[in-house]
Amino acid sequence: MAGISTEAKVGVFVMVGIAILAYMTVRLGKFEIGEPEGYETWAVFDQATGLKRNAPVEMAGIQIGVVEHILLDQGRARVVMRISKKVPLAADASVYIRTRGVLGDKYVSIEPGSPGSPKLKDGERIVKARVPTDLDQVMGRIGEVADNIKDITDALKVSIASPESTKNISESLANMRELTASLKTVMVENSERLNRIVANMDRFTGDLSEISSQNKQALNETIKNFQVASVQMQKTIQALTSVAEKVDRGQGTLGALVNERQTIDDLNATLASLRDVAKKIDEGKGTIGKLVNDDTTVTKIDEALTSINDYLARGDAWKVYVTYRGDYMFKETSLRSELDLILQPRADTFFLLGLVDDPRGRRSETRQVQDVTKDGVTTHEERHTTTWNVDDLTWNVQFGKRFYDLTLRAGVFSSTGGVGADYYLFDDALRLTFEAYRFSADERPNLRFAADYSFWRYFFLSAGVDDIISEHGDATFFLGGGILFGDDDLKFILTKAPAP
C-alpha cells in the first residue's frame, strides 16, 4: 500500500462506499424483476389526504403489503393495495387510514374480519373503509357545542330571571325555617316521653333475661341488639337537639340561611347577577355572548385553523434530496467527489448545499509588488502566485429556478462565485450541465461541461470536460457516476434498516 497515492486510496474508498450503498438500495428497496407477488384488493375512502404510493399496509402492526395506486373514483379516493399471498383476508375485513409518529406518515391498517367468512379473491373490494376525523368535522362539532351552550343559557335565563322563580326560592327558605322550628319544639316537648321509652326498654331487656335457659343465647343476642339500638337512639336525640339549638342561634350554614336576612339578600343579589349575565349573553355581550350569538367569532376560529392547516401543508410540501457523484479526472488520475443536499420548497425552486473534494485542491492567488533598483534605475516588479492546497475541501451554496426544461443556478461553486445552467431531455433522463466559476481579472474562469444519464431511479452516469479554457493546460476529461436519494427513500432506509 506504500506505493499507492492518497488520491487512489480515496478513490478506492469511495467506490467501496458506492457499492455498499447500491447493495443497501437494492436490498432494502426490495427491487424485483417481473410481476410483483401477492394479490390485489382495493377500497374506497371519502378522502386519502397524506397517503402516498408504496405506503405500507399493516395488520396488527406487521406489514403485509403496500399501496400500489391511489385513483379518483366518482369524487372519492380509490386505494389499490397489493397483499402478500401468505395473508388471506376475509370478505368482511375492515380497512383504515391511520397516522404514524411525529412525522405524520400515513399508512393503511387492516382488521382481518371473521374467521368463518369467505376469503377475498384477487381484484375484489374491501367494503368496510374508514378515514380519520378531519378539521371540517372538528369545526362542525364546535358549532354544535356553541348551539348547546346557547340553549343552556336560554334555559338558565328562563329558570332564574323570572319573578316566579325568585318567589319560589323565598318560599322554600321560609318553609325550611318553619321546619327547623317545629323540629326543635317536638324535641323539647317530648324529651321526658323519650326518656321514659328508653327506661321501659331497659326494664324490658331485664325481663327478657329471666326467660327460659333454652333460649338464653338467642335472648342474649336480642338484648344486646336492643341495648345498642337504645344507645344509638339516645345519641341521635342528642344530635338532633344540638342541631336545633345551633340553627336557632344562627350557627352553621343552615342557621345563617334561616336566621340572617343578609344571607337572603345575598342570594337575591346572586340571582339578580345571574339574570344580568343571562341578559348580556342574550344580547351578545362578553366573550360567551359573542361565541353564542356572533357568527364572526366562529368564522375567525375557522380562519385561524385553516391558516394553521395551510402552514402545515406548506411544510409538508418541502422535498429533500441527497446526491453523491464521483468523477475520475483523467489528467489528475484521481477521483473528484461531490456530496450535495437539495432542499426543494416548490417544484420549480430549490436550494443546494454541498461539499467538494477536488484532487487539485483549493486554489488561492497572491499578488506581490516590489521595487527593484538596478544601475540607479528603480522599477516596479509585480508577481502573481497561484497556490493549490490539495487537502482543503470546497463548498457549494446555490439557488436554482427551473423554467420548463431549463434550470438556472447562481451562487457559490467550489468556494467561489459562479453561475450554471441545466437542460433536461428525454423526460429528465438526460441532463446537460454548463457551469462557469472562479472568475478573476488575471485568470480565465473555470468552465465545466457535463452530461448525466439516469439509467435507474437511484443511479446515474456522468461524463464531460472540466476547466475547458485553462491557461495552464489543466483541461481534463472525466467519467464517473453517482447516486440520488429522495426524502421518501431516506425515511424508508432509516425505518427499515435492521437494528445492530
Side-chain angles (χ1 to χ4, degrees):
M1 296 296 291
I4 301 177
S5 64
T6 302
E7 292 80 2
K9 294 178 181 179
V10 173
V12 171
F13 177 78
V14 171
M15 295 305 294
V16 171
I18 292 176
I20 294 174
L21 286 176
Y23 173 78
M24 290 179 62
T25 302
V26 175
R27 185 71 173 176
L28 297 178
K30 297 182 179 179
F31 177 71
E32 297 177 350
I33 300 177
E35 292 294 329
E37 297 182 355
Y39 61 94
E40 184 177 280
T41 183
W42 57 281
V44 178
F45 299 87
D46 292 335
Q47 54 92 11
T49 303
L51 186 65
K52 299 180 180 179
R53 187 181 177 185
N54 293 325
V57 179
E58 298 182 358
M59 178 184 293
I62 301 174
Q63 183 170 349
I64 62 172
V66 296
V67 175
E68 276 199 338
H69 304 288
I70 303 176
L71 309 173
L72 188 63
D73 187 359
Q74 298 181 357
R76 304 177 69 193
R78 178 172 179 171
V79 178
V80 182
M81 299 161 283
R82 184 162 293 278
I83 309 300
S84 174
K85 292 182 178 180
K86 299 179 181 179
V87 184
L89 298 178
D92 60 345
S94 301
V95 59
Y96 305 88
I97 297 179
R98 302 188 185 278
T99 304
R100 188 204 316 277
V102 178
L103 295 177
D105 292 335
K106 300 288 186 179
Y107 70 100
V108 177
S109 176
I110 296 181
E111 293 183 358
S114 304
S117 299
K119 305 303 179 182
L120 284 174
K121 298 180 181 179
D122 188 14
E124 289 188 348
R125 173 186 177 184
I126 300 178
V127 178
K128 298 180 180 179
R130 301 288 186 273
V131 293
T133 304
D134 56 8
L135 284 177
D136 293 334
Q137 295 176 349
V138 173
M139 291 304 304
R141 293 180 180 177
I142 290 177
E144 294 176 1
V145 171
D147 293 337
N148 293 334
I149 293 175
K150 184 175 181 181
D151 295 338
I152 292 173
T153 53
D154 291 339
L156 186 63
K157 174 183 176 182
V158 174
S159 301
I160 297 177
S162 64
E164 183 179 359
S165 298
T166 304
K167 180 180 178 181
N168 292 335
I169 294 174
S170 299
E171 291 177 355
S172 298
L173 293 175
N175 293 334
M176 291 178 64
R177 180 184 298 177
E178 293 177 359
L179 177 61
T180 53
S182 300
L183 182 61
K184 177 182 178 182
T185 302
V186 170
M187 293 298 174
V188 173
E189 293 178 353
N190 296 283
S191 59
E192 295 181 358
R193 183 178 298 176
L194 291 173
N195 291 332
R196 287 197 301 268
I197 292 173
V198 173
N200 292 332
M201 291 181 66
D202 289 337
R203 288 194 299 269
F204 178 71
T205 55
D207 295 336
L208 288 176
S209 63
E210 298 176 357
I211 299 177
S212 165
S213 59
Q214 296 179 355
N215 299 319
K216 184 176 180 179
Q217 184 176 359
L219 291 174
N220 288 335
E221 294 179 357
T222 303
I223 291 170
K224 290 180 181 179
N225 292 334
F226 273 113
Q227 289 176 347
V228 173
S230 63
V231 173
Q232 294 295 334
M233 184 174 292
Q234 287 179 352
K235 292 180 179 180
T236 302
I237 293 172
Q238 293 176 359
L240 290 175
T241 303
S242 176
V243 170
E245 292 176 353
K246 289 182 179 180
V247 170
D248 187 57
R249 291 195 301 267
Q251 297 178 355
T253 304
L254 186 59
L257 184 63
V258 173
N259 293 278
E260 293 185 10
R261 181 63 188 177
Q262 183 63 34
T263 303
I264 298 176
D265 294 339
D266 292 341
L267 182 59
N268 289 332
T270 302
L271 294 175
S273 298
L274 290 174
R275 183 167 58 249
D276 293 339
V277 170
K279 182 178 179 181
K280 290 180 180 179
I281 291 175
D282 187 58
E283 293 175 354
K285 297 179 179 179
T287 303
I288 298 178
K290 291 180 179 179
L291 182 62
V292 173
N293 295 278
D294 190 1
D295 294 336
T296 304
T297 304
V298 178
T299 302
K300 291 181 178 179
I301 294 175
D302 187 17
E303 292 175 353
L305 293 176
T306 302
S307 300
I308 294 173
N309 191 28
D310 293 341
Y311 177 78
L312 295 176
R314 289 195 299 270
D316 187 59
W318 278 71
K319 301 294 183 183
V320 180
Y321 299 93
V322 176
T323 178
Y324 167 81
R325 65 183 301 147
D327 298 325
Y328 182 80
M329 316 292 287
F330 288 95
K331 182 177 179 59
E332 303 294 335
T333 65
S334 60
L335 191 69
R336 179 183 183 272
S337 300
E338 182 175 341
L339 179 65
D340 293 323
L341 174 66
I342 302 174
L343 305 176
Q344 186 175 354
R346 293 193 300 270
D348 60 345
T349 305
F350 64 90
F351 300 91
L352 185 147
L353 307 174
L355 290 175
V356 180
D357 181 15
D358 196 315
R360 292 168 296 187
R362 184 172 182 176
R363 176 179 175 178
S364 61
E365 297 181 1
T366 58
R367 177 183 178 185
Q368 295 180 349
V369 179
Q370 62 180 5
D371 296 333
V372 178
T373 303
K374 185 176 181 180
D375 299 332
V377 178
T378 301
T379 59
H380 298 283
E381 291 186 359
E382 182 175 344
R383 296 181 179 179
H384 293 271
T385 303
T386 302
T387 304
W388 294 87
N389 192 341
V390 297
D391 295 327
D392 283 352
L393 296 175
T394 58
W395 41 274
N396 298 330
V397 179
Q398 302 170 19
F399 170 77
K401 179 74 173 179
R402 180 162 181 172
F403 304 91
Y404 299 100
D405 293 332
L406 177 65
T407 298
L408 300 180
R409 293 180 284 122
V412 178
F413 293 71
S414 296
S415 301
T416 63
V419 294
D422 304 307
Y423 190 77
Y424 294 89
L425 298 170
F426 308 117
D427 294 331
D428 293 354
L430 178 63
R431 182 180 70 173
L432 304 179
T433 299
F434 180 78
E435 296 177 347
Y437 56 93
R438 205 173 65 224
F439 294 96
S440 174
D442 302 321
E443 296 286 343
R444 295 176 182 175
N446 189 335
L447 302 183
R448 176 182 175 89
F449 174 79
D452 298 339
Y453 177 71
S454 297
F455 62 91
W456 194 39
R457 176 180 176 183
Y458 303 106
F459 299 101
F460 61 89
L461 299 175
S462 64
V465 185
D466 193 10
D467 206 355
I468 300 174
I469 59 174
S470 173
E471 296 178 347
H472 308 288
D474 294 332
T476 177
F477 290 94
F478 62 84
L479 180 65
I483 188 170
L484 173 67
F485 286 113
D487 50 1
D488 292 335
D489 303 317
L490 295 175
K491 289 180 183 178
F492 182 82
I493 292 176
L494 293 176
T495 56
K496 297 298 182 181

